[in-house]
Structure formats: C-alpha cells, structure tokens
Amino acid sequence: MEIILAIIIIVVICKILGVSNFVLILCGLGIIELIIIAMFLFFVYHTLHLFFTKKYNANFVKIDKPKKSKFKVAYYEIEGEECPCIFPMEASFSSSYREEKIYSVRYSKLLKKVYDKWAVMTCFIGLIFSIVAIAITFSIIKNLDFII
C-alpha cells in the first residue's frame, strides 16, 4: 500500500513540475524493464547453480516453514540431515509429496538447500518466460523510436 501511495505522490509532483505523460509512461516502462531483467538474472543464477549441485536420492520428511521465512517448503533427508527446498511449495502440489517415497533431488552445498523436481521446473520455466518477457519488452521499446 505504501508503494502505491509513494508512486501516486511522485506522479503528482512530476505533473506539478510539468513532466509530460509520455515521459511518465517511459519511466514506468523503464522500471518494469528493470524488474524483468532482475527476474531474468535470478533465474539465470539458479539455473546455472543447478550445474554445480550433486544429485542425491532423498527421503521426503515434511512440509514446514523454515526459520526467517513466511512460506512453507518441502524438507528432504540427505545423509541423515534435513534440508529444505530452495523454493516455496505451491499449495496445489502438497498432495504430490509422499513420506514413504524416495525422490531424486539436487543438493547445493553452498546454499545447504535442495532443488526438487518442482524447483528444477521452476528454474527452467522461469528462465524461458523471463527471456520471452525481455524480448517482448525490448521490441516494444525499439518500436517507441517511431513514436517519438
């Protein structure tokens, strides 16, 4: 809520100072583009990080909230140690986890977390969608040259 209020105040101040609507729209698009690029870098990091993880067969232990987190994650047991998944668990996928089943996961020693099959899919799908989003927004920005 505070962010929306701050944006409204900034827009009102810009309008008082005489900034055109076109410039305000360009600034908004620039901020959106920076967010999309940050999303792209996030997924590039995690996808590249997958190449430096080791594959393990792990027992699913539980679904719980880790310390300093708001979201529930899946926990797996690897070599006697409980390791949380890197990404939060989707509520709709909670029925797909079974305690008696052994899962193939990728363990990151650096982060001390695992990538289960849902996290690996999140990395690849997120990377694809962020590449598409960057391509689309760059094509929109490229076409703005004709408008100016």
Side-chain angles (χ1 to χ4, degrees):
M1 185 65 181
E2 294 86 13
I3 294 174
I4 295 172
L5 186 61
I7 291 171
I8 291 171
I9 291 171
I10 291 170
V11 168
V12 169
I13 291 172
C14 288
K15 291 306 292 177
I16 290 171
L17 294 174
V19 177
S20 71
N21 290 340
F22 183 73
V23 171
L24 288 175
I25 291 170
L26 273 179
C27 289
L29 288 174
I31 291 170
I32 292 170
E33 185 65 27
L34 289 175
I35 292 170
I36 290 171
I37 290 170
M39 178 181 70
F40 169 73
L41 293 174
F42 174 81
F43 285 116
V44 165
Y45 169 77
H46 282 288
T47 304
L48 290 176
H49 192 256
L50 278 172
F51 293 113
F52 301 104
T53 58
K54 188 174 178 184
K55 189 174 183 178
Y56 283 95
N57 289 326
N59 292 326
F60 171 74
V61 178
K62 63 183 176 181
I63 296 173
D64 198 12
K65 289 183 187 178
K67 297 174 187 173
K68 301 178 186 177
S69 178
K70 299 179 193 177
F71 305 106
K72 291 182 177 182
V73 298
Y75 279 85
Y76 295 92
E77 184 180 341
I78 298 176
E79 297 177 350
E81 183 181 339
E82 283 187 9
C83 302
C85 185
I86 191 85
F87 294 129
M89 183 198 73
E90 287 290 330
S92 59
F93 293 138
S94 63
S95 62
S96 64
Y97 294 101
R98 292 186 177 75
E99 290 189 24
E100 66 275 355
K101 192 171 177 184
I102 295 176
Y103 293 90
S104 177
V105 297
R106 304 198 62 88
Y107 178 67
S108 167
K109 290 183 181 179
L110 176 69
L111 301 174
K112 294 184 175 42
K113 295 186 178 187
V114 299
Y115 290 89
D116 60 4
K117 63 182 177 181
W118 304 111
V120 171
M121 284 183 8
T122 300
C123 289
F124 288 119
I125 292 172
L127 183 64
I128 291 167
F129 277 111
S130 60
I131 289 171
V132 169
I134 286 176
I136 290 171
T137 55
F138 276 160
S139 69
I140 291 171
I141 291 171
K142 185 178 176 184
N143 290 332
L144 286 178
D145 290 334
F146 298 113
I147 296 172
I148 298 175

